[in-house]
Amino acid sequence: MDLFSFLVSGIGVYVALVVFTLGMAWRVWQWMRTPKSPVRLGLFPKPKSGLGRFGKLLKDTFIAPQSVEQAAPLMAAAYAFHLAALGAFVGHLRLVHEFTPLVSILGVEGMNTFAAWSGGIAGVVMLLAILFWIGRRTSGAYKNLSTPEDFLLLGLLLGVVLLGDHLRFVGGLHAATYEAWFASLVALRPAFPPALAASATRWALDWHMLFVDAFLIYFPFSKLTHAIGAFTGNLVRSSD
Amino acid sequence: MSDTKPDLELDLRGLLCPMPMVKVSQNISKVPVGGTVRAVATDAGSMADIPAWAKSTGNEVVQAEKVGSEYVFLVKRVK
Amino acid sequence: MEKQELETIIGTLGKRMNRQLKEYLDVCVRCAICKDACHQYVATQDMTYLPAHRAELVRAVYRKYFTKAGQFMPAVYEARDPDEHLLDDLYRSTYACTGCRRCMYYCPFSIDTQWVISAAKAMLIAAGRGNEMLGQLADAALFKGDNIEMFRDNLVEGFREIETQVRDITKNPEAEIPVDRQGADMLYVALAGSHSILPAAIIFNEAKASWTLSMFEAANYGFFFGDPDKARLIAKRFMDEAKRLGVKEVVITECGHAYRVAELFYEAWAKERMPFKVVHILEVIDRYVKEGRIKVDPRGIREKVTYHDPCQIGRNGGIYEQPRDIVKAIAPDFVDMTPNREKQWCCGGGGGIVAMEEFNEVRLKSGDMKVEQIKATGASVLACPCENCRLQIGELNEVHDLGLRVVPVMDLVVEAMGFGHAAGTTGDERDAAEAVV
């Protein structure tokens, strides 16, 4: 590995994971140690039973029907982005370990085709959602309300997704190659396998990882803590 | 009835409490310090509201009385 | 800005910090879904009133003084000092907010902007920029509470006059307005004006209820001002009275925020469980109508009637059906507004804004949606159980020439109780009086 690769696709990955994990734990701890609001802040109507409230919490967080009613296009982008991001995350697990049962059903070629399609769709959907959000923030009230943090996060996401899409569509390397690199990370001896080191794709991977590292490092210090705050906020909405 | 002519007359008839007190408070700054506002209200609650407002804001109710079905106040701006 | 003033403002925000406030300040993504939920923003398109922007002003200070990230990279977060400019903006956006929490209803994370606003008001008060009018009204209420003996005779004399009216209307010489009655079942907390006492007294007497009238009014300008200590002390006046008299229920009149303060906030503020229930007057009247304790003419109100859900008893208090059931029991031609219940548009009159002249323009403009909603129903009577809403809608009624009769629900009930023409005094007399003004 050259120095840049080592920094972003080697040591940087560890740093990012540590900062992300500890950072999120720290943020949650900060919330937990701050005393709860003494007064009740729920909205009516709310379910009477605990189970009903839990159900409403899940509905408000994962479907947010009220928000959809108010801003359907935005929420469509939000659904699409979050689902595609989840899909992309699951797809990346293939780099840790091949989904053997799927391969036995689809065959090696079939699996690669399936991954190309599913990963491709996820990548394109995320890209479109990010472009929609960037566009939305360039005019009117949205522009006035936006802060540099909003654009920084969208910029990082755009970098991650654009380069991810490049790897998916142009890179021409299959999972097995990346899997060897992932294995080296897990073994705490980060190294690119020869096929990757020799490939021009390596640069795209390094830049993809640079954005991923930065995104993960910044995550706990940004509004992305809504990943947890959405649940706690919606819990308060329905609580007694 | 006070003989001195007030600096400002407020017709607060028909207003429901606490609006008579609100109107007196909003208008007191329109008269000079030492000047007076004469207010006529129809809501009985103003008999407690306006004197309480005057006491807590350091102004002076020179007169507060019931005249027929109306409540008449003469409030002096102290500060 | 002087260092000491800055420290006071920051210290105040620190004291007000709690888990929910911190989360609300941390997680807002500025998606601006709230913009189309806020009646003030929709009507004016002015950023000052965009809920996320209102909170963003507090967030800017929070970022700078309460987060490491904001201290490390202030430009990224637009972290700022609470300078004169920020405090001016904060004052306008904060005291204009009616606290309807419609933005919270539509927020995907249920961020309670009003909760952030309450912290903003604390900061403004610390900076000596609390709204003067609301502060004065709160102080007057506290003064009355501390010196009740000074006002007792006047108040009781007023109650006796209303009692005479009750006897005239009900033709019941025994009808009474009890004050300080030990062991009564209910303590009725009205507003300072007789209009909120007379109809309730008629209904209580007809239902042969065991009740007593509070010496104190339910309205709480300490809550609007943004000082929880003052708000607590104002509510404490009648809460202590209720404890002293040993009542089973404290009944709050048709006043939105007063109900929310008494039912949802007071115990938390006082750090004490109250030995009685807090109920809304319309819950009690609904009970009487359904149990047949008062007789109402099901066709008592012939006009087309619609109902306005005050935010503080609806979305923020959970009372939706009882007022509708009452109105439907006396008015065959009832029609709901669209949207209604938890989606109801705020009328624009909450949060004490009706007492602050400086917000008159935005207040009246922000009623546009309510006016359209009312027009669409074709109703000529608006039943409305909140004083602030009635003041606002009453003014909209004049400005937009809606030809609407804006009345408390309990006035309609009295009209439908069949006392003949005299029963209409509550509404008609007021209309006549308003015409004089």
Side-chain angles (χ1 to χ4, degrees):
Chain A
M1 269 183 158
D2 61 297
L3 181 63
F4 182 59
S5 299
F6 181 72
L7 283 179
V8 297
S9 304
I11 196 86
V13 178
Y14 302 124
V15 172
L17 286 174
V18 168
V19 172
F20 174 77
T21 311
L22 293 182
M24 285 307 280
W26 179 61
R27 293 308 294 272
V28 172
W29 179 73
Q30 274 190 321
W31 287 343
M32 295 301 289
R33 71 181 185 139
T34 313
K36 278 208 297 198
S37 150
V39 302
R40 295 185 272 165
L41 297 173
L43 279 180
F44 295 87
K46 53 190 159 198
K48 293 218 173 1
S49 70
L51 194 67
R53 284 176 187 164
F54 183 68
K56 181 160 165 54
L57 160 69
L58 295 182
K59 187 170 129 190
D60 286 342
T61 308
F62 290 109
I63 303 175
Q66 298 84 224
S67 310
V68 174
E69 202 180 304
Q70 194 69 261
L74 172 66
M75 289 306 288
Y79 280 165
F81 178 84
H82 285 88
L83 281 173
L86 179 69
F89 176 76
V90 172
H92 279 70
L93 293 180
R94 193 175 168 221
L95 307 182
V96 182
H97 194 277
E98 179 59 282
F99 303 142
T100 326
L102 259 183
V103 177
S104 58
I105 295 168
L106 300 171
V108 174
E109 270 310 301
M111 181 67 201
N112 281 338
T113 311
F114 171 72
W117 275 98
S118 55
I121 290 170
V124 169
V125 167
M126 282 196 286
L127 181 61
L128 291 175
I130 293 164
L131 291 175
F132 169 72
W133 282 335
I134 292 175
R136 191 170 175 270
R137 287 203 181 273
T138 53
S139 69
Y142 307 108
K143 184 181 175 186
N144 288 335
L145 190 62
S146 299
T147 67
E149 180 194 359
D150 302 319
F151 293 105
L152 175 60
L153 282 167
L154 284 169
L156 291 175
L157 272 179
L158 187 65
V160 170
V161 172
L162 268 180
L163 287 149
D165 284 351
H166 177 87
L167 293 173
R168 177 80 268 164
F169 295 120
V170 190
L173 290 176
H174 282 306
T177 315
Y178 297 115
E179 205 180 318
W181 161 59
F182 251 60
S184 78
L185 280 172
V186 174
L188 302 180
R189 269 195 293 265
F192 283 153
L196 187 55
S199 160
T201 302
R202 193 191 78 207
W203 290 99
L205 176 68
D206 281 339
W207 279 91
H208 178 65
M209 290 313 296
L210 176 69
F211 282 112
V212 170
D213 295 345
F215 181 73
L216 286 178
I217 288 168
Y218 187 44
F219 196 110
F221 309 101
S222 72
K223 62 181 186 175
L224 298 181
T225 45
H226 74 258
I228 292 166
F231 293 90
T232 51
N234 286 327
L235 182 65
V236 169
R237 176 199 194 105
S238 297
S239 58
D240 197 15
Chain B
M1 282 284 156
S2 172
D3 296 334
T4 49
K5 190 177 168 1
D7 297 88
L8 186 66
E9 298 256 9
L10 291 176
D11 183 356
L12 309 176
R13 283 175 285 205
L15 289 184
L16 306 174
C17 279
M19 290 321 279
M21 165 172 61
V22 171
K23 292 289 174 196
V24 170
S25 183
Q26 281 170 352
N27 286 285
I28 193 82
S29 57
K30 292 179 186 163
V31 304
V33 173
T36 51
V37 174
R38 184 174 178 275
V40 182
T42 45
D43 194 321
S46 57
M47 279 300 270
D49 269 9
I50 290 176
W53 165 83
K55 289 277 184 192
S56 63
T57 53
N59 289 295
E60 188 188 338
V61 174
V62 181
Q63 174 205 356
E65 62 182 11
K66 193 169 179 218
V67 181
S69 60
E70 294 178 347
Y71 303 89
V72 182
F73 302 90
L74 193 66
V75 183
K76 183 173 171 186
R77 182 177 173 189
V78 175
K79 55 183 187 185
Chain C
M1 169 169 289
E2 303 239 344
K3 189 163 172 269
Q4 199 185 350
E5 191 191 349
L6 180 69
E7 278 170 5
T8 309
I9 296 170
I10 304 306
T12 303
L13 182 57
K15 273 197 216 119
R16 289 298 296 261
M17 197 54 68
N18 55 55
R19 190 179 305 166
Q20 278 65 44
L21 178 62
K22 198 167 176 57
E23 289 184 10
Y24 296 150
L25 292 172
D26 281 334
V27 306
C28 175
V29 293
R30 290 171 288 275
C31 68
I33 285 178
C34 51
K35 87 178 168 57
D36 297 317
C38 176
H39 57 292
Q40 289 181 344
Y41 180 78
V42 171
T44 63
Q45 300 291 309
D46 182 340
M47 279 297 286
T48 310
Y49 308 118
L50 198 155
H53 174 73
R54 301 186 210 238
E56 199 63 21
L57 294 170
V58 177
R59 198 169 283 122
V61 179
Y62 166 77
R63 286 292 197 190
K64 174 144 184 182
Y65 289 94
F66 294 87
T67 70
K68 295 274 179 291
Q71 283 154 10
F72 182 58
M73 297 184 293
V76 172
Y77 301 100
E78 294 186 349
R80 284 166 68 187
D81 268 323
D83 56 19
E84 300 292 308
H85 188 66
L86 184 137
L87 290 174
D88 284 347
D89 285 351
L90 194 63
Y91 178 87
R92 279 196 302 276
S93 71
T94 293
Y95 277 108
C97 175
T98 56
C100 72
R101 303 210 298 171
R102 202 169 185 268
C103 49
M104 178 180 181
Y105 179 79
Y106 286 105
C107 174
F109 312 146
S110 301
I111 292 174
D112 182 354
T113 306
Q114 194 201 12
W115 195 235
V116 182
I117 292 277
S118 73
K121 286 184 176 175
M123 288 163 67
L124 288 164
I125 293 169
R129 287 166 177 256
N131 179 273
E132 206 184 335
M133 175 59 62
L134 298 181
Q136 283 183 12
L137 292 170
D139 288 343
L142 289 175
F143 184 85
K144 202 158 118 187
D146 291 340
N147 301 279
I148 189 63
E149 290 311 318
M150 190 187 289
F151 303 103
R152 179 178 291 275
D153 290 348
N154 259 332
L155 288 167
V156 172
E157 192 190 327
F159 298 156
R160 292 290 81 89
E161 282 176 25
I162 304 169
E163 191 176 70
T164 308
Q165 291 180 50
V166 175
R167 287 175 181 172
D168 289 349
I169 292 168
T170 59
K171 316 259 186 326
N172 172 11
E174 319 250 289
E176 57 174 351
I177 295 184
V179 178
D180 266 336
R181 177 158 298 169
Q182 194 72 35
D185 286 346
M186 300 184 296
L187 175 72
Y188 176 58
V189 191
L191 298 172
S194 59
H195 64 293
S196 69
I197 301 172
L198 178 63
I202 292 172
I203 292 167
F204 287 144
N205 274 286
E206 286 298 296
K208 303 198 170 31
S210 161
W211 72 294
T212 184
L213 176 65
S214 174
M215 297 294 288
F216 304 101
E217 73 278 5
N220 195 320
Y221 281 92
F223 176 64
F224 293 149
F225 181 54
D227 184 333
D229 283 332
K230 283 186 177 168
R232 177 179 58 82
L233 289 169
I234 290 169
K236 186 174 188 292
R237 301 175 309 165
F238 61 77
M239 290 295 189
D240 284 353
E241 190 184 19
K243 274 199 276 188
R244 179 168 57 79
L245 298 175
V247 299
K248 295 182 189 124
E249 286 182 333
V250 163
V251 182
I252 304 291
T253 192
E254 297 190 23
C255 172
H257 76 284
Y259 173 74
R260 188 168 170 218
V261 162
E263 165 65 1
L264 288 128
F265 288 175
Y266 186 74
E267 285 189 343
W269 285 339
K271 299 187 180 70
E272 181 189 355
R273 286 285 296 173
M274 292 293 126
F276 44 75
K277 275 173 67 180
V278 171
V279 294
H280 191 270
I281 179 76
L282 295 182
E283 291 179 272
V284 177
I285 296 176
D286 184 44
R287 223 151 63 194
Y288 291 165
V289 171
K290 284 174 182 161
E291 290 168 3
R293 282 181 67 176
I294 56 170
K295 302 246 172 321
V296 289
D297 178 355
R299 299 179 56 76
I301 309 296
R302 300 296 175 95
E303 304 133 285
K304 192 178 204 178
V305 184
T306 188
Y307 173 73
H308 167 68
D309 286 282
C311 306
Q312 303 301 353
I313 68 164
R315 208 162 22 240
N316 301 332
I319 294 177
Y320 291 118
E321 302 312 323
Q322 298 93 330
R324 285 182 168 78
D325 288 352
I326 294 171
V327 175
K328 285 177 194 165
I330 55 176
D333 196 1
F334 172 79
V335 57
D336 241 323
M337 284 187 232
T338 310
N340 57 57
R341 296 179 173 81
E342 66 269 29
K343 293 174 188 171
Q344 176 76 281
W345 278 109
C346 173
C347 67
I353 196 170
V354 288
M356 297 181 278
E357 265 183 329
E358 63 210 277
F359 295 113
N360 276 0
E361 199 180 325
V362 57
R363 172 169 64 81
L364 285 172
K365 183 82 184 106
S366 76
D368 283 357
M369 280 76 64
K370 184 54 58 187
V371 168
E372 291 310 313
Q373 271 188 295
I374 294 170
K375 277 185 185 165
T377 63
S380 57
V381 174
L382 178 89
C384 177
C386 170
E387 186 80 359
N388 281 326
C389 301
R390 283 194 298 271
L391 283 166
Q392 165 78 349
I393 299 174
E395 205 170 331
L396 294 173
N397 189 24
E398 283 172 30
V399 172
H400 295 268
D401 207 10
L402 300 175
L404 202 63
R405 198 155 68 93
V406 184
V407 270
V409 177
M410 55 184 172
D411 283 28
L412 289 179
V413 173
V414 172
E415 278 181 53
M417 285 171 79
F419 294 117
H421 213 63
T425 44
T426 48
D428 296 349
E429 201 174 72
R430 193 169 332 137
D431 287 349
E434 273 164 9
V436 172
V437 178

